[in-house]
């Protein structure tokens, strides 16, 4: 048994995971309660991207191995990766009972609490992190995010302000503080914060996109729409993979233009009226919309064809998102 585990360890270090797993399964066949072998299979499954198997192996291993903070933490991470956030929280609680100042475990627990929308619990956990690391701007920033999700807006704003005091170059803190103030309709303050974020990092998509959204709310359409093009870089939306995008810079007469939905139902219904602008300019417009809106928008005036987003794309010369 010891020889198998040593050989397995050598395979694992050399990333020969299948060979290591085979040896561990042999060990489990000889002793189904071999905790070391079960734990080894948990780590291998995690390395191979099978989070569910990793979480299951950890459950079996924990029944046989001594409880340690590291073991409970790793089991929590496996359950978190598998989307089993309630169980992940239970594992993190066990880890924190043994090591209550483990910041990595506290962060992991806050993440799972947020995933199940227990934002008050996330805020409590991150308050502990802040108290352990009061000079780290990130601890105040992360707490601010949790407080905002919990609806505790004054405390959220105070947390972001403290993060900025600790690091005046913390771009994301300026952005989130601006968003919080914008939600309270304190637009001038929000715009000043987004401007500061852009000054610190001119290529930050979040700073640009949020400033664009605020200008649009205020009716500053020329600047707002121009900067809103940064939305394709902020991680929330995936840009289309096709060549030849159209942004108004070339004539469309005689061209087939694919106009496609990019956000929610409301955005599609709001902006579909601009299809007419293209068709009256001589374009043949193929309109792609969400499948759920296909029946409503089928035959829309100005569109030569209306297709659902799950349908195959026809050939086209240019493409343009509805927004």
């Amino acid at each position: 048994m010891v020889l198998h585990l040593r050989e397995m360890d050598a395979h694992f270090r050399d990333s020969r995971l299948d060979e290591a797993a085979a040896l561990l399964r042999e060990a489990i066949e000889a002793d189904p309660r071999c905790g070391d072998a079960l734990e080894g299979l948990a780590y291998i499954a995690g390395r191979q991207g099978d989070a569910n198997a990793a979480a299951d192996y950890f459950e079996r291993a924990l029944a046989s191995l001594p409880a340690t903070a590291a073991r409970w933490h790793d089991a929590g991470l496996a359950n978190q990766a598998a989307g089993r956030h309630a169980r992940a929280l239970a594992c993190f609680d066990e880890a924190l009972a043994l090591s209550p100042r483990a910041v990595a475990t506290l962060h992991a627990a806050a993440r799972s609490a947020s995933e199940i929308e227990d934002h008050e619990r996330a805020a409590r956990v991150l308050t502990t992190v802040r108290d352990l690391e009061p000079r780290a701007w990130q601890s105040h920033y992360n707490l601010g995010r949790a407080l905002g999700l919990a609806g505790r807006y004054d405390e959220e704003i105070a947390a972001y302000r403290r993060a900025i005091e600790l690091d005046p170059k913390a771009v994301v803190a300026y952005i989130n503080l601006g968003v919080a103030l914008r939600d309270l309709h304190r637009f001038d303050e929000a715009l000043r914060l987004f401007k500061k974020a852009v000054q610190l990092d001119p290529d930050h998509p979040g700073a640009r996109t949020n400033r664009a959204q605020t200008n649009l709310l205020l009716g500053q359409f020329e600047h707002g729409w121009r900067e809103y093009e940064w939305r394709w870089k902020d991680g929330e939306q995936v840009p289309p993979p096709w060549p030849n995008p159209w942004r108004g810079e070339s004539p469309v007469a005689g061209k087939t233009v694919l106009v496609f939905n990019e956000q929610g139902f409301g955005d599609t219904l709001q902006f579909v009226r601009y299809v007419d602008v293209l068709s009256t300019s001589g374009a043949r417009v193929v309109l792609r919309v969400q499948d759920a809106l296909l029946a409503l928008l089928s035959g829309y005036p100005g569109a030569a064809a209306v297709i659902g987003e799950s349908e195959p794309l026809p050939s086209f010369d240019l493409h343009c998102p509805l927004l």
Side-chain angles (χ1 to χ4, degrees), residues 13-277:
R13 288 197 305 272
D14 293 337
S15 296
R16 298 195 301 270
L17 301 182
D18 290 337
E19 293 93 329
L23 290 170
L24 290 172
R25 292 191 185 97
E26 287 182 26
I28 293 169
E29 286 178 9
D31 178 7
R33 292 179 58 81
C34 181
D36 289 328
L38 291 163
E39 187 175 45
L41 285 171
Y43 285 116
I44 289 173
R47 284 272 295 272
Q48 293 179 328
D50 191 345
N52 284 296
D56 290 340
Y57 279 125
F58 268 121
E59 291 298 323
R60 293 171 62 187
L62 286 165
S64 302
L65 294 173
T68 67
R71 189 163 280 139
W72 279 112
H73 173 86
D74 289 346
L77 290 180
N79 279 280
Q80 187 177 76
R84 307 174 187 178
H85 293 289
R87 179 56 184 160
L89 278 169
C91 292
F92 295 138
D93 284 344
E94 295 285 354
L96 291 168
L98 297 168
S99 182
R101 298 171 64 87
V103 171
T105 305
L106 289 163
H107 276 299
R111 178 184 171 189
S112 279
S114 293
E115 287 290 340
I116 62 173
E117 298 188 358
D118 190 346
H119 301 304
E120 286 290 351
R121 182 171 182 174
R124 288 196 301 271
V125 171
L126 291 171
T127 297
T128 302
V129 174
R130 180 208 54 196
D131 293 343
L132 290 170
E133 299 182 334
R135 300 297 301 174
W137 72 267
Q138 296 93 334
S139 67
H140 296 270
Y141 169 75
N142 289 328
L143 175 57
R145 293 179 64 191
L147 289 166
L149 291 169
R152 294 159 61 179
Y153 303 119
D154 289 342
E155 295 169 90
E156 174 194 16
I157 288 169
Y160 294 144
R161 292 196 190 281
R162 181 57 179 151
I164 290 168
E165 287 176 5
L166 291 167
D167 185 356
K169 294 184 179 180
V171 174
V172 290
Y174 287 99
I175 295 170
N176 277 35
L177 177 56
V179 171
L181 293 170
R182 181 181 68 199
D183 290 345
L184 296 175
H185 292 188
R186 293 161 64 174
F187 299 117
D188 290 342
E189 294 173 83
L191 283 171
R192 285 196 293 271
L193 289 159
F194 297 141
K195 180 179 180 180
K196 178 64 175 179
V198 170
Q199 289 172 342
L200 291 169
D201 185 353
D203 294 324
H204 196 292
R208 295 281 191 172
T209 302
N210 277 289
R211 185 166 69 173
Q213 291 169 337
T214 307
N215 276 312
L216 292 173
L217 281 171
L218 295 173
Q220 304 297 325
F221 296 123
E222 183 175 353
H223 181 71
W225 284 125
R226 182 172 62 249
E227 199 165 40
Y228 194 54
E229 289 301 304
W230 283 83
R231 71 193 183 280
W232 297 109
K233 299 181 180 181
D234 70 359
E236 295 295 323
Q237 294 176 240
V238 179
W242 318 303
N244 301 323
W246 183 77
R247 296 292 184 272
E249 72 281 9
S250 61
V252 294
K255 302 289 182 68
T256 295
V257 181
L258 172 70
V259 178
F260 59 94
N261 62 291
E262 60 163 286
Q263 296 187 37
F265 293 160
D267 292 292
T268 298
L269 296 175
Q270 174 78 299
F271 289 91
V272 71
R273 67 186 187 274
Y274 291 109
V275 164
D276 292 343
V277 174

